[in-house]
Amino acid sequence: MLLNAPFTYAEVGATQEASLPPGYKHVRRDIRIGDGPETFDRAATALFGWRMHRGAGFGVVADRPAVPGLPVVIRIGLGRVALNAPCRVVYRVDQPDRRGFAYGTLPGHPESGEEAFVLHLTASGTVRFRITAFSRPATTIARLGGPLTSLAQELATNRYISSMLHLSRP
């Protein structure tokens, strides 16, 4: 696994754009997770420190919080049957009303693409959590998975949301 290898897709940073690149499966989820700056801060701490991923049931191999350029391996499954999904953080958003990051896939990841997790504190005080992703199969196993691969991605997205809802509460 080469964590300093180039990304496996050309559209690096495209999760920041209004329209996602063609030729990929797109995911956009936007939910309300609570209200107020305390909720926003709790959620951002959980997100940057990889607790949201761990709370969703994934292993995380990273030596520090999410910052641009940081390699990270998301582990799906347990023990010897775990699948390693190498990524690198593409960008980080750290504004008073928006916090989050995106990572992109590296060689060895079963998919090719990018996923962003961004929190937004609205002017009315509502805290929203947005997941934006684009991906397509990068390995034979992922391609053969067909609808199961899409289902796995949907389940992962739902687990991220459940984890964030739990971690943002006092």
Side-chain angles (χ1 to χ4, degrees), residues 53-118:
H53 284 76
R54 290 184 179 103
F58 299 105
V60 178
V61 180
D63 62 2
R64 61 187 183 273
V67 294
L70 177 72
V72 58
V73 177
I74 306 299
R75 293 184 49 83
I76 305 159
L78 298 171
R80 293 181 186 206
V81 295
L83 174 70
N84 289 320
C87 302
R88 185 176 315 113
V89 176
V90 176
Y91 62 85
R92 177 173 165 142
V93 178
D94 209 347
Q95 300 169 357
D97 63 345
R98 289 182 68 238
R99 293 188 194 145
F101 67 90
Y103 52 52
T105 58
L106 297 174
H109 195 295
E111 297 283 317
S112 176
E114 189 171 292
E115 190 164 27
F117 310 93
V118 179

Side-chain angles (χ1 to χ4, degrees), residues 13-160:
T15 52
Q16 296 178 91
E17 305 300 323
S19 62
L20 296 174
Y24 295 88
K25 179 180 187 289
H26 298 165
V27 173
R28 290 186 189 272
R29 293 284 295 275
D30 183 337
I31 66 153
R32 178 187 169 277
I33 61 168
D35 297 292
E38 297 84 10
T39 298
F40 181 68
D41 289 340
R42 271 192 304 278
T45 298
L47 181 61
F48 287 141
W50 305 105
R51 287 181 33 231
M52 181 204 67
H53 284 76
R54 290 184 179 103
F58 299 105
V60 178
V61 180
D63 62 2
R64 61 187 183 273
V67 294
L70 177 72
V72 58
V73 177
I74 306 299
R75 293 184 49 83
I76 305 159
L78 298 171
R80 293 181 186 206
V81 295
L83 174 70
N84 289 320
C87 302
R88 185 176 315 113
V89 176
V90 176
Y91 62 85
R92 177 173 165 142
V93 178
D94 209 347
Q95 300 169 357
D97 63 345
R98 289 182 68 238
R99 293 188 194 145
F101 67 90
Y103 52 52
T105 58
L106 297 174
H109 195 295
E111 297 283 317
S112 176
E114 189 171 292
E115 190 164 27
F117 310 93
V118 179
L119 297 155
H120 180 68
L121 178 62
T122 69
S124 65
T126 299
V127 180
R128 302 205 60 85
F129 178 49
R130 296 176 180 149
I131 299 175
T132 305
F134 60 91
S135 65
R136 60 183 168 212
T139 64
T140 301
I141 291 174
R143 280 188 287 280
L144 291 174
L148 292 177
T149 302
S150 293
L151 179 61
Q153 186 174 35
E154 185 177 334
L155 290 172
T157 300
N158 290 340
R159 291 179 76 145
Y160 289 142

